[in-house]
Structure formats: C-alpha cells, structure tokens
Amino acid sequence: MVFFIPIIFFFTTLLSSPATILCLNQEGLYLQRVKNSLDDPDSALFSWNDRDDTPCSWFGISCNPSTSSVSSVDLSNANVAGPFPSVICHLENLTSLVLYNNSINSTLPLDISSCRSLRYLDLSQNLLTGALPHTLADLPDLRHLDLTGNNFSGEIPNSFGRFQKLEVISLVYNLFDGSLPAFFGNVSSLKMLNLSYNPFVPGRIPAEFGNLTELEVLWLTDCSLVGEIPDSLGRLKKMKDLDLAINNLHGPIPSSLVGMSSVVQIEFYNNSLSGNFPPGMSNLTSLRLLDASMNELSGPIPDELCSLPLESLNLYENRFEGKLPASIADSPNLYELRLFKNFLTGALPENLGKNSALKWLDVSSNKLSGEIPATLCEKGELEELLMIQNSFSGKIPASLGDCGSLTRVRLGHNKLSGEVPAGVWGLPRVYLLELVENQFSGSIGKTIAGATNLSLLLISRNNFSGEIPDKIGWVENLVEFSADHNRLSGALPESILNLGQLGNLDLHNNQLSGKLPSKIESWKKLNELNLANNQLSGKIPDGIGKLSVLNYLDLSGNQFSGKVPLGLQNLKLNLLNLSRNHLSGDLPPSLAKDMYKNSFLGNTGLCGSIKSLCENTTQTKSQGYIWVLRSMFILASLVFVVGVVLFYLKYRNFKKAKRAIDKSKWTLMSFHKLGFSEYEILECLDEDNVIGSGASGKVYKVVLGNGEAVAVKKLWGGAKRACESEDLEKGRAPDDGFEAEVETLGKIRHKNIVKLWCCCTTRDCKLLVYEYMPNGSLGDLLHSRKGGLLDWPTRYKIAVDSAEGLSYLHHDCVPPIVHRDVKSNNILLDGDFGARVADFGVAKVVDMSGKGPKSMSVIAGSCGYIAPEYAYTLRVNEKSDIYSFGVVILELVTGRLPIDPEFGEKDLVKWVCTSLDQKGVDDVIDPKLEACYRAEICKVLNIGLVCTSPLPINRPSMRRVVKMLQEVGMEIHPKANKKDGKLSPYYYEDTSDLGSVA
Ligand SMILES: *[C@@H]1O[C@H](CO)[C@@H](O)[C@H](O)[C@H]1NC(C)=O
C-alpha cells in the first residue's frame, strides 16, 4: 500500500504536466492581461505565452536575475494599439516602462501612480489624449518622463512642481494650451526640460528656471514666449544646450548669459532680440554653435565671438554693421559661417579659411568689399561659396581653381574683374557657377571641358570676349547657359549641339556671327533660345520646328535671311521675335496673322505677308481717321464692359436666390432613409453621366429637375452587386456603422469641405449625394494641358483652402477625422477655384475615447502619397494626412505628378529633395509659374518639405500648416512671416538665393 502513493503521485504529475498554465507566475498572468487588452496586428507579443514559468524570456521583458521579478517592459515600435494597460502597475518591481512609438490611445489613468517603483517612463509617440494625471508626481523614484509626441492638452498639473528626483522631462509636441509653468523651477533635480512645440498661451520665460542649477538642456522652441530673456538663466553653470528659437522674445541678450560657462549650443533664431552681443562672450569657451539669425541684433560682430572654437556661426538677417573682426579667421573649428543679409562693411579677414576647415561661407547681401581671400579653401573642404550682392573687387584668386571640393559658387552682383582663373572654369564638382553682373573679362576657358557636373553656367553682364570654346560641348550636364550682355564673338561652335540637356540658351547682346548650327533639333530639351542682338546670319534652320518644348524664341536684331521655317507654326511659343532681320518670302499660314505682326517687324522682305506689317509709313496721313476709330472703339468696349458687369451682378443675385431656395430644400433632408427624389437621382445614373471613378466608387453628375447639379457617388463593394441585381434578398445584416459614419460626415459644415447633401440607401444601394464642383479636381486640372490656367496666386489659394479644410477635420471635429486619402484628385475646385476637400470614402472616424482603431489596419491611401511610416506600421493618424498634404503642396509647386516614370525609383518627395540638393530650387519650381513669385513659391515649397518629413514628429500639425501658409501670404511686413524660418535644411539656401534674383 505504501508504495502506491508515490506511484499515484507520479502519474498525477505526469497527467497534469501539459497544463503547465498553473506554473506561470503571477507577474506572467498580469502581463497576459496586458496582452489581452492590446490590439497586436503584428503579433509582437507572440512570445507572451502561457507555457513558461516566468515572463522573463518574453519579448520586451527583463527581470531581476536573482528574484525573477519583472524590472522592465520595453515595447518600442511594436505597433500595438489600445488603452494604457494599467494592469502593468501590478508589477511591483517595474522600474522602467517604454511604450515608445505605438498607438496607445486613451488618457493616462490616475492610477499610474500605483507603478510605485517606476524610475523611467517613456510613452513618447503615441496617441495619448486628455489632461496629464496629477498623480504622476506621486511616483517617488521617477527620474525620466518622456511624453513627447502625444495629444495631451490642457494645463500641466501643479503637482509637477513636487517631483523629488526627476531629471528629464519632455512634453515636446503635445497640445498643452495653458501657461508654461514656473513651478518647474522647484524641481531642482532637473537636467533636461523640454517643452518645445506646444500651443501655450503667450507668457514669459519664468525667472525661476534660473534655480535649476543642474539643468543642462532647456528646449523651449515655439512655446509662444514673450518678453525678455531673464537674467537668472545666466546662473545655469551646467547648461549645454539653450534653445529659445521661434518665439517672440524681445530686448537684449542679457549680459549674465556669459555666465553659462559650459554652454555648447545656443539657438535664438527667429525672435525679436535686439541690441549688441553682451561683452564677455569669450568666456563661453565650449560654445560650438551659435544661431541668432532672424532677430534685430545690431552693432559689430564682437571680436570675442570669433576667437571661440565655433563650428557654426549663423547671424544672418540681423542688423550687424561694421567690419568683420580679423580674429574670426583664427577660430580653429569654424566650418560654417553664415552672415547673410546684414550691413557688414570692410573686407573679409585675410586669413579666413587658413586655420579652420571652412565648408560653407555665406556672406551674401552685405556691404562687404575688398578681395576674395586666397586662403578660403586652404584646407580643401570648401563646398559653398556664396558672396552675391556685395562690393567685392579684384580677381578671383587662382587658388580657388584648385578647390576641387566646391559645388556651388555664387559671386554675382559684385565688382570683381580680370580673367577667371582657368581652374575655376573646370572645377569638377561645381554644378552652379554664377558670375553675373561683375566686370570679368577674357574668354571662357577651354578648361571648361573638365566641369563635368556643371549644370548652371551664369555669366551674364560682364565683359567676356572671344569665342565660345569648342570644349563647351563636353559639359554634358549643362542645363542653362546664360551669357547675355558680354562681348562674345565668332560663331557658335558646332559642338554646342552635344548639350542634350540644355534647356535655356541665352546669348543675347553679344557680337556673335556666322550661321546657326544646322542640326539644331538635337537640342531636345531646349525651352528658351535667345540670340537677339548679335550678327548671326544665314538661314534659320528648319530643324527649329522640331524643338517640341521650345516656348521662347528670340532671334531679333540679327542678319538672318531666307524664309521663316514652316515648322515654327507647330511650336507652342509664348514669345516669338524674329524682328529686325532680313527674312523674306511667305510666312507660315498660321503665323501670317495680325497678332504676330510684332514678331516680324523690320523685315522688309516680309511686308506682303501681313497687311499691317509695313504700314507705319502711311500712318501719319490717316492719323486723324485712326484717332476717331480708336475713340469709337474705346467707347464701345466701355459700354460692353459695363453691360457685362451689370449682367453678371444680376445673374449672381439671381443664382444666389435660387441656390438659397434649393439649399433650404436640401437641408431639410436629414441623413435617414429618404423618400425624396431618389428616383430622380437613380434615373440619371447611367454611364453617360459618369464624371469620375475611384477606389471607393463611381461618381455621376446629376442635373436635377430644378437645374441644380449634384455629384452622386455610388459606392462599390457589396452595395455594387446590390444595385445591379434587383432580386436581392432583403433584410441583410445591419450595416457596419456605415450610416453612423455618414451621419457624422453629413454634419460637417465648412467652407473648404465638399458638402454631403444626403445619402440614400434605398434598395440596398449606397449613394452619397455631394455638391457639384464645376472645375473638377485639382489633380485633373494641374496635370492636364489646362495646368497653365492655374497661376501662382490660384495655386497658393488652393493650398490655403485645402489646408483649412483638413485642419478643420483634424482639430475641430469631435472626434477628429483622419482623411486617410489626401491627394490632389480629392481636392475639388468650385467655380471660383476655391478648393474643397472631398471623398471620405476611406476616412474613418477616429474614436479617441473608444476601443483600439481596429479597422485601421486596412491599407488606405494612394501611391505616392503614403507616408513612409505607414508602410511598416499601418498606423494611421493625422500625421499621415499631413504627409499626403505635403505631397499635394509639392505638386502645386512643381506641377509634377506624385509618381512619374521620369523620377525612376523615386517618388516626388525624393525627387524634389535630390533635385534641390543637386541643382537648386529653380529646377524644382514649375516652369509655368511666373518668376516674380519665386520668393513666395520657395516658402511654400519649404512648407511642403516639412510636411513630408520622414519622421512624423517633424511634421507640423495641420493647424500650424495653415498658419505657415497664411504667413507666406502676408509678405508686406518682413517680420510677419519670420516664423517659417529654419524649417528645413534648404531654408538657408533659399533665402540666400532669393537675394540674387532681385
Ligand atoms: C520585488 O523585489 C523584492 C525585493 O527584491 C522581492 O522581495 C519581491 O518578492 C519582488 N516581487 C516580486 C513580485 O517578485
């Protein structure tokens, strides 16, 4: 009997062993509950199984090796979604919790304070909302609190002044809209205080921050700060990084700041700071970067500043005047010096570049004079040399000809003279060589054959002479060659036809002679050809008619003879000027019209072709007669114009009245099943009326009995079949929230959102009835032949309008609505080209308070518009809309499609970035846009670029996008748009380029 017991015992253990679930310890069970509360589309928590004894080997879990109790949970980037898993606080020894970059989408519960052991809490990049729980401050050991990139709002709780051990707090990129709290000044353990990018109410920098003696990083960018920088900050001896950029700070830089003896980096850009730099800057011996650009600082640049081991000194757009101190040349680490747009005078220090490996030098738009220092490239690293709009004189030093690192050289608008050193013509990496408006002489060097990267050669308005060297044909990448207003002579070399990329050839006002090369059609990309006012002769080659993209042709003031080539009439020319030549014979029929008269003036051999062409000799006789005719004509047109205006006003009132009646009729209809004119609508749904077709359905234009048009969208899917076959079994399962959703959308009333009049689901058919937009979609218009209709002011307005629409969806709808398919085809234009956002076909109402966004894991969006993070997270939030909207902005600026075979592997975003890098901004902007808007276009382009930042955190909110766009419009006051400074790495480049265009 006695030995049965062990045997039975043995058997029972054997039997129970499959059910080891009993063995998972309590902490493991808590974590199982966490797992169950989360949505885990990627099965990141697959290893959280119930067969282990402890959770210590699970993904993201670490344990104390001796007690096996969980000490840390790290689910960074796991793509889990759901409310904050409070159960996790049952892990009594949990010291570190990291849920970085997931979709935790609830509020942060008060009972977070039961996580008693927490030292490290990182919930950044989630969708947390609501107010911060005041109980966070009750965590006795908390050292690190990172809540960056959530949607927390309201005031920061007072209790946050009570943290005992907190060293790091980051609340960057949230929606805190209370005041920037002074009580942080009591948290004496703080080393890092990051509050940037929150819509705080305007307030001062609390002087109490001066008590934070341990502070190393104070980051308060874009926090609506006003007033002066408090003196007390100078007490922060350990401060390394002080960033107060993009605020409205006034007054001087306090002299106490030179007490921050450890400071490495100071960012003051984009404020209204004034006065001189305080004395004693040389005490900041660790300072590496100083960016005080875009303020109102004045006076000389202090000598002291220049003796520091700076790496980057950015002072552009201030009011510095006086000379640059010679000691700037002694700074051993200075590799970036940008002093753009100031009032600096005198010469550049003689030894600049000798002691430091200078990479970028931008002193454009100052009053500098003297010679270009020969030492600039002594270390062989100089890449950008931007000196436009100064009074530099003398020759280009020969040493620059050996500076193989140069990529961008802009010396335009100075008083430089002499010959350009042979080496400079042939610099192998330079893509932009600009020498415009100087007094250079000599000829274009044969060495230019070595400039294999050169794409822009701009040497207009100098005294260059001699022949254009045959070697020019070797510069295969040349896109623009402008050398007008020089004294170039001889014939165009035949080799110039090798320039297959050439888009713009401008050699007007020179002394060129001889014939044009005969095979002119090899310039396949030539867009603009200006050879006016030379002594060119012979025939205009017939091949000119084959230059299919040519739209600017000026050959006036030469000695061309023979007939006007027939092929010219096939070109789509914006300008044609062949006047003052010796052309003769018949004009091509479609050019032999009065409207082309000015194109052919001064060619006696053409007199017969257009009646009025040579009439000016008879003019004096019949002048009186003409005067009478003219005044009659003016009178007639006046009457006509007044008539049209009156008619228009009447008509508009009439229409308004009519629309009001119709509206009242429609608004009576709610979004319930409707019995009204669905027959009327259904009847018109035949294929002749289809105006579009998208992923979610077909769109029809329906003109109702009253004459008003509506757009009707018939949804695909189950409903599609249902619409076609009548004998569908009735009583299907109730719909998947479709009606609820439509009801939400139907309630939206905003001027920049297409109105949803109603929805009918009769006969199981889903129809959405929208207001009809006569100008169709932006995408269709922009990318069709009619793209030219959209001038810049119109495009700009479309950008603002649609941004406002989206901003409304994101910020003003409760719950917020993520569009999920923002693209130019979903931006519709009304009769006045006002833009409205349309098609929430795939938009889902993001229910912030409800359960996880389950339905979000369906692929949404259109190619070329999808934010990069979406590809691997499948996470949709407002930031993905902002990316897509950025792509729309880039479309507006470039006039190009979001994906185009011409870009190869790239999409529009990548193409823009690389083109900006390699060729500069002019290659990116739609050539159809007028040059006079360039400055504004550049700014909008920058906004597009920030919106399409690869990291969602760097994308501004839609509300901010609207503001930035509006600020571009307020050009009149130069400070009005200062806030969009330093948005992207391209900003510097753009601003400095702007100067040269003027
Ligand atoms: C937490 O740690 C303490 C001390 O190391 C230990 O006594 C306790 O058992 C641990 N808790 C759990 C649940 O393991």
Side-chain angles (χ1 to χ4, degrees), residues 27 64 67-69 92-93:
E27 292 203 316
N64 178 330
T67 61
S68 288
S69 78
E92 58 177 293
N93 292 325

Side-chain angles (χ1 to χ4, degrees), residues 542 544 563-571 576 578 583-593 596 600 606 609-610:
D542 286 329
I544 208 158
K563 286 179 72 171
V564 174
L566 194 61
L568 270 189
Q569 64 180 357
N570 303 331
L571 299 179
L576 171 63
L578 304 180
L583 299 166
S584 57
D586 288 335
L587 283 178
S590 59
L591 296 178
K593 293 183 182 149
Y596 289 109
F600 302 107
L606 294 175
S609 297
I610 304 175

